[in-house]
Amino acid sequence: MCPLVLISDRNPKRLERVRHLLESEGLEAVTASDSQEAMRLFVRREPELTLLQVDPSDELGMELCRDMKTLSAGRRRSVVVVAPRTSQPAAFDAGCNAFVGRRSGYESLVRTVRRFLGSYRKPRRTEAIELSR
């Protein structure tokens, strides 16, 4: 069985793009378009990894990270925040396990996912894709 990744993002196009990218890497992905849905899926499905796409002005995204990490499942599971570099200190203050700059691209995101999930599938050639759109 492949690892489950929860992706939370208020931007529907970016949400689907990241879901498709992770599924093409051999992962199972579930998506949430708001904080409430993300928390519900986090508790019910217990994903191995959660990716939170957070906009700089989105305090709810950082609160969601903080809330997830206070749960017992959140202490056992990894949360990665994907946001502009200026949000990095706030992301770590909220308790995330890792941070990926939004403009870092697909390879950086996949490298971070592999670091947390281990070798879930033989790596394949990656494409450079901008995560900020």
Side-chain angles (χ1 to χ4, degrees), residues 22-38:
L22 294 180
E23 287 176 349
S24 74
E25 285 292 315
L27 297 167
E28 181 184 355
V30 292
T31 61
S33 59
D34 62 48
S35 296
Q36 288 180 337
E37 183 180 9

Side-chain angles (χ1 to χ4, degrees), residues 7-32:
I7 309 161
S8 177
D9 193 339
R10 291 171 29 183
N11 180 317
K13 288 182 182 178
R14 193 169 54 203
L15 183 68
E16 283 305 306
R17 185 179 317 125
V18 173
R19 181 193 59 77
H20 175 72
L21 293 172
L22 294 180
E23 287 176 349
S24 74
E25 285 292 315
L27 297 167
E28 181 184 355
V30 292
T31 61

Side-chain angles (χ1 to χ4, degrees), residues 42-43 46 66-78:
F42 184 80
V43 170
E46 293 190 6
R66 194 173 293 110
D67 291 346
M68 286 177 169
K69 296 307 283 183
T70 61
L71 299 173
S72 61
R75 290 189 291 274
R76 294 187 316 269
R77 310 268 181 205
S78 299

